[in-house]
Amino acid sequence: MNWTGDTASTPEEARSGAFATTHWSQVMRAGQDDPAAADAAMGQLYQVYRLPIYNFICRQYRCTRQDAEDLTQGFFEHLIEKATVKRADREIGKFRNFLLGALKHFRANERDRILAEKRGGKCKIVSLDGTGAPEMSGQEAPVPVAADKEFNRDWAFALVKQAREQLKDKYTNEGKALLFATMEPAILREDTRDLYANWADILKVSEEATAVAFHRLRRRFGEALRQEVARTVNDSGDVKEELRYLLAAMGD
């Protein structure tokens, strides 16, 4: 299955929602009997949520990077091959909860096999310095709640990343790539007034114009992030609550 390479749609289509209104729609398409449609739908979900899944597996399995990559792709294959997506109940509301629950079920089924492979020498502790992957020890994480917390944090950052990329595309298409590149790193900062003078010098505009431009950038980012969150819930009324929850998870 071609999930790590090109899919039928472009990244811009995936981020804009042109392919599917919500991630639940993609799950339903992934549960179809049409292999091409299923592969394309699951491929988009893989691209967005690969890192949270990968990190969760790293923390729980303590495997090499390659084994963790294989397990991550294996999990998405499991969703289709075991008809998990066909049995998915979108009424549970949050796509985050569905995916984490399915991952835990997959982990429970795979645990004995992975432990056996560890004893056989396939999995070993390695340094992951510079990869961004979580630190690993020689034992599985003893507190599942901690793993859930880290998963939710990674999930939140995945949505923020999608929102940032969506906004980058828009600013680039508007001919404002320099403005975006200059201001975007500070988009989550509480107070940016100390940056206005430097930004104004880079962009060759007044500080007042800089302040207005950054306010607009932050507003558009908020809209993009709400759109990404909306794609992960079943009820639009849950967007504000889910957004608040994920922003708190990022701060933990």
Side-chain angles (χ1 to χ4, degrees), residues 3-45:
W3 295 341
T4 56
D6 295 333
T7 59
S9 59
T10 68
E12 290 74 17
E13 289 171 335
R15 289 196 292 272
S16 68
F19 182 79
T21 303
T22 67
H23 289 316
W24 280 117
S25 301
Q26 288 172 276
V27 167
M28 295 303 109
R29 290 195 65 171
Q32 293 177 357
D33 294 328
D34 181 352
D39 196 38
M42 193 57 70
Q44 291 188 30
L45 296 175

Side-chain angles (χ1 to χ4, degrees), residues 98-131:
F98 159 71
L99 208 59
L100 181 57
L103 179 56
K104 287 181 176 180
H105 182 72
F106 172 75
R107 174 181 177 269
N109 289 339
E110 290 287 294
R111 183 177 180 181
D112 289 343
R113 181 178 67 81
I114 297 302
L115 291 177
E117 289 179 351
K118 276 190 177 183
R119 290 193 294 271
K122 180 178 179 181
C123 292
K124 59 184 178 180
I125 302 171
V126 296
S127 171
L128 296 184
D129 292 343
T131 66

Side-chain angles (χ1 to χ4, degrees), residues 4-76:
T4 56
D6 295 333
T7 59
S9 59
T10 68
E12 290 74 17
E13 289 171 335
R15 289 196 292 272
S16 68
F19 182 79
T21 303
T22 67
H23 289 316
W24 280 117
S25 301
Q26 288 172 276
V27 167
M28 295 303 109
R29 290 195 65 171
Q32 293 177 357
D33 294 328
D34 181 352
D39 196 38
M42 193 57 70
Q44 291 188 30
L45 296 175
Y46 178 89
Q47 294 299 328
V48 176
Y49 297 116
R50 169 193 164 276
L51 188 57
I53 298 298
Y54 172 82
N55 283 349
F56 185 90
I57 289 173
C58 279
R59 294 185 184 104
Q60 295 302 308
Y61 288 149
R62 316 304 186 187
C63 291
T64 64
R65 289 194 296 271
Q66 184 58 57
D67 288 335
E69 287 281 2
D70 292 344
L71 285 168
T72 300
Q73 186 163 345
F75 166 67
F76 282 91

